Amino acid sequence: MQFTYYGHSCFAVQIRGKNILFDPFITPNPLAAGIDINPIRADYIFLSHGHEDHIADCISIANRTCAIVVCSFEIHTWLNKQGITNTHPMNTGGKWVFDFGTVKCVVAQHSSGLPDGSYGGNPMGFVFTTEEGNFYYSGDTALTLDMQLIPEYTLLDFAVLCIGDNFTMGIEDAIQAARFIQCKKIIGVHYDTFGYIKIDHNKAKKAFSEQEKVLLLLEVGETQDI
Ligand code: NI
Ligand code: MN
């Protein structure tokens, strides 16, 4: 599966020819200044929650691409009011069979206010089960015991976990999360963007490898076959 990192918690995968974008926050991110959002293709945009650092570029990319935006019911209602009507509302615990595979919404322990103060519903993580591989994107979350349910649903090939601490899991909790979800290959997100979440890359990678896990930290704009 082709995986492209756009900085912070924004990334894209291609599955069965569909371009799936997550948590678009590019133009306000100084670390992603080299990314031009105009050529980014999206058939789907998944939003884990309503915070600015996860949805800043959603409306412009959705308008340009006509992507289906998959998000909580409350964010769906909010987007509809902004003129984005190609939305698919979901909520924690629910799953849906899309044309690229099945997505289950799982618990994220965080908050989810929208930029104008509107209520964004519950934050969520997503478990993707597809013919081209299975993965979990945690969204912004604390470590939760609920993560132990994920390997009951799906055997993961990789997981995209927040690792920057302060607002979300840090390194130690992300390693515990990797144990709970029984996944060896972790792609780190939600680090370095702000002063509060700067991490030491080598130390983080070493801490994972000492627990027989692999932490991948992609360059902004980098694409890898995962
Ligand atoms: Ni957040
Ligand atoms: Mn965030």
Side-chain angles (χ1 to χ4, degrees):
M1 190 182 300
Q2 211 176 55
F3 183 104
T4 302
Y5 184 51
Y6 291 114
H8 200 50
S9 288
C10 182
F11 61 96
V13 294
Q14 276 187 339
I15 307 169
R16 293 186 74 179
K18 301 292 176 188
N19 294 289
I20 307 166
L21 182 68
F22 295 78
D23 286 355
F25 170 76
I26 299 167
T27 55
N29 181 1
L31 300 183
I35 304 288
D36 176 8
I37 67 164
N38 293 308
I40 294 176
R41 287 157 59 188
D43 298 296
Y44 293 90
I45 300 171
F46 279 76
L47 302 177
S48 64
H49 64 296
H51 289 162
E52 177 76 8
D53 61 318
H54 297 259
I55 70 163
D57 293 311
C58 177
I59 289 174
S60 69
I61 296 175
N63 265 326
R64 177 176 54 78
T65 60
C66 299
I68 298 170
V69 183
V70 185
C71 55
S72 72
F73 185 80
E74 289 78 3
I75 297 175
H76 142 90
T77 306
W78 183 82
L79 285 171
N80 287 177
K81 283 186 200 148
Q82 329 279 319
I84 303 294
T85 52
N86 202 16
T87 49
H88 180 125
M90 294 187 75
N91 212 332
T92 320
K95 69 174 181 310
W96 186 258
V97 181
F98 293 89
D99 52 3
F100 58 81
T102 301
V103 179
K104 188 174 177 75
C105 299
V106 295
V107 170
Q109 181 62 48
H110 191 65
S111 55
S112 184
L114 286 153
D116 63 1
S118 301
Y119 172 61
N122 288 324
M124 299 191 288
F126 301 110
V127 177
F128 278 62
T129 307
T130 82
E131 281 173 7
E132 296 180 22
N134 305 329
F135 68 95
Y136 163 53
Y137 168 44
S138 68
D140 283 8
T141 184
L143 176 66
T144 73
L145 289 170
D146 299 271
M147 290 171 180
Q148 295 176 90
L149 291 170
I150 291 170
E152 308 273 332
Y153 306 139
T154 303
L155 293 177
L156 298 172
D157 297 293
F158 68 94
V160 182
L161 302 181
C162 49
I163 60 169
D165 221 327
N166 192 76
F167 299 110
T168 68
M169 294 191 286
I171 302 301
E172 300 84 359
D173 284 351
I175 291 170
Q176 183 61 58
R179 280 193 212 104
F180 282 168
I181 62 177
Q182 296 173 27
C183 185
K184 201 178 148 103
K185 191 190 280 184
I186 305 300
I187 299 169
V189 294
H190 214 272
Y191 63 93
D192 284 359
T193 321
F194 323 112
Y196 292 120
I197 61 173
K198 288 224 178 347
I199 65 160
D200 180 324
H201 293 206
N202 288 333
K203 220 168 128 185
K205 286 180 187 171
K206 190 162 169 268
F208 272 79
S209 68
E210 281 169 2
Q211 301 299 321
E212 286 164 9
K213 308 284 183 193
V214 179
L215 177 66
L216 301 172
L217 301 177
L218 275 66
E219 297 292 329
V220 177
E222 185 181 351
T223 298
Q224 274 197 23
D225 260 321
I226 299 293

